[in-house]
Amino acid sequence: MKTMTGLVKEKPEKGDFVLRHDLPVPEPGDDEVLIKVHCTAICGTDMHIMEWDRWSQLRVKPPFIPGHETAGVIVKVGKNVTERKPGDRVACETHIPCGECWFCKNGMPHICSNVKLFGATENGAFAEYAKIRADSAYLLDDSISYENACLFEPLGAGVHGAEAAEVCGKTVLVSGCGPIGLTAVSACKTFGARMVIACDLNDERLAAALEMGADHIVNSGKEDLLKEVLKLTDGIGADAAIDITGSGAAIRAGLRCVRAAGVMVCVGLPTNEVSLDLTNDLIYREIKLTGISGRKIWETWYDFSKVMNGPYFRPEKIMGRKYALTDYKKAFEAVRAGVPGKMILYPDPADMDV
Ligand SMILES: [Zn+2]
Ligand SMILES: [Zn+2]
């Protein structure tokens, strides 16, 4: 049996991942591919799994290999696989749909009712090799580096938010300028938004939003957001708002910035229930309020490729530090310490310099 190095969540309790050198290299099933992992980014979900929060207790069953924001090269395919071949560079869609439920059969596999999760309910990619169903492996063209490919999964929600807001030709407010918000800003501009107003409480993040395509920035801790938006939109309000913050106050403020008959898309997840003045802020003004979940398979991925190759997206504003997989403790410490940007782990340290 061939073995590999990887991280394992060993027990159903609070505790760090454990580095193991004796894990079996997975054997791809008939419909699966085996990927030699180039790099895998750390996600908030991985931190939750270590903390063993409520979500983890309900969804995941240790022992398993975590890690899902990954890209690499296919080295082996199962016997039914015709659309992928060894040598293909791919990134992985975390939401593995069943293909059988009503949503899968009606073109909405991203909200499948029996969804499995790569790196949570299935073994993932904090390892030298990972296997996944061939139809969950997104083929990368050569213009996209493995590092940027790791961003599709975590930041795709920002692109999906811009898709749902149908921003072409519109004035758009984006609330929240962390990595997903910055991606939403650059997606809106790439998709032809007429004007993007970015809002946050942090001036550094707002400066990054300007570099990623925002036409105007508003620090809502210092300025009156509604007043600024009305000033910039001839007193009408924004055609669309996209909330990345998940903060009740920001959602309420964003809703009031949308013009009558406009649209608001919620991307950020509030921790608690949010109360809204539906009568005055939504119903009388005929606002459409919607949420998005993850990425559309594969529309969001195709669109994100265009965003990545477009003039606005700046991956260096989003990338954090690189670590060898065996140095994983330092990487997770950096995340806990709040070091900004995505931390990326490399099973083969030689890949870090390329
Ligand atoms: Zn993730
Ligand atoms: Zn399904």
Side-chain angles (χ1 to χ4, degrees):
M1 184 181 72
K2 274 175 75 183
T3 57
M4 65 174 187
T5 298
L7 303 181
V8 176
K9 173 67 182 177
E10 289 198 319
K11 294 186 188 126
E13 60 191 33
K14 186 175 168 167
D16 287 354
F17 302 145
V18 177
L19 184 69
R20 295 259 303 266
H21 298 289
D22 58 347
L23 299 168
V25 173
E27 188 57 36
D30 292 348
D31 299 305
E32 293 177 325
V33 297
L34 181 67
I35 297 166
K36 183 173 190 297
V37 174
H38 187 97
C39 52
T40 305
I42 295 176
C43 175
T45 306
D46 303 318
M47 309 308 287
H48 293 313
I49 291 171
M50 278 192 282
E51 289 301 316
W52 204 241
D53 70 350
R54 233 181 93 73
W55 179 87
S56 311
Q57 293 169 28
L58 291 172
R59 291 304 288 274
V60 306
K61 291 187 177 55
F64 72 99
I65 301 169
H68 58 273
E69 299 175 357
T70 193
V73 63
I74 292 178
V75 290
K76 200 173 179 182
V77 302
K79 72 174 191 322
N80 296 340
V81 176
T82 52
E83 303 213 326
R84 297 285 177 271
K85 59 181 188 309
D88 283 349
R89 300 166 72 250
V90 294
C92 295
E93 170 55 60
T94 304
H95 293 172
I96 302 170
C98 73
E100 301 291 329
C101 73
W102 190 88
F103 297 95
C104 282
K105 288 191 165 153
N106 284 279
M108 295 172 272
H110 68 293
I111 45 174
C112 165
S113 12
N114 312 310
V115 74
K116 290 181 181 170
L117 301 173
F118 181 61
T121 67
E122 316 294 302
N123 278 330
F126 284 146
E128 289 177 273
Y129 295 90
K131 69 170 182 174
I132 192 163
R133 248 182 31 210
D135 56 5
S136 291
Y138 178 78
L139 192 60
L140 298 167
D141 69 60
D142 290 337
S143 66
I144 293 173
S145 69
Y146 286 118
E147 286 75 11
N148 283 0
C150 288
L151 301 178
F152 277 101
E153 199 276 346
L155 307 183
V159 175
H160 191 178
E163 290 168 337
E166 299 182 329
V167 297
C168 185
K170 289 183 181 169
T171 55
V172 188
L173 170 70
V174 176
S175 303
C177 295
I180 295 176
L182 292 175
T183 303
V185 166
S186 59
C188 288
K189 289 300 287 187
T190 308
F191 300 162
R194 183 155 57 86
M195 180 205 291
V196 174
I197 306 163
C199 141
D200 200 286
L201 298 168
N202 178 311
D203 288 326
E204 221 172 294
R205 287 169 157 215
L206 287 168
L210 276 181
E211 289 188 67
M212 289 181 72
D215 300 285
H216 301 279
I217 51 174
V218 180
N219 184 323
S220 48
K222 298 176 187 167
E223 295 164 279
D224 183 333
L225 178 65
L226 179 59
K227 213 166 120 191
E228 294 303 313
V229 169
L230 290 175
K231 206 156 66 185
L232 292 165
T233 56
D234 300 325
I236 296 165
D239 298 315
I242 303 172
D243 182 82
I244 317 288
T245 67
S247 135
I251 293 170
R252 282 188 289 273
L255 201 51
R256 286 174 194 144
C257 290
V258 178
R259 67 161 165 82
V263 56
M264 169 132 192
V265 178
C266 290
V267 176
L269 302 172
T271 329
N272 299 310
E273 286 183 14
V274 170
S275 67
L276 301 174
D277 182 351
L278 289 181
T279 305
N280 294 303
D281 290 343
L282 190 115
I283 299 170
Y284 279 152
R285 302 201 304 122
E286 297 197 353
I287 304 250
K288 290 180 200 73
L289 176 66
T290 184
I292 63 102
S293 176
R295 303 139 302 278
K296 280 199 189 174
I297 306 170
W298 295 94
E299 184 181 339
T300 303
W301 291 70
Y302 296 137
D303 285 344
F304 202 164
S305 299
K306 289 177 212 149
V307 173
M308 249 180 214
N309 289 329
Y312 302 104
F313 191 70
R314 301 277 302 272
E316 71 276 13
K317 297 280 160 203
I318 285 156
M319 291 295 185
R321 300 175 185 165
K322 298 176 175 184
Y323 296 89
L325 180 67
T326 47
D327 275 341
Y328 70 105
K329 283 195 174 161
K330 286 186 203 156
F332 288 112
E333 268 162 36
V335 177
R336 285 195 183 109
V339 176
K342 297 294 289 184
M343 304 300 155
I344 301 191
L345 298 176
Y346 292 76
D348 182 352
D351 289 333
M352 288 167 65
D353 310 315
V354 187

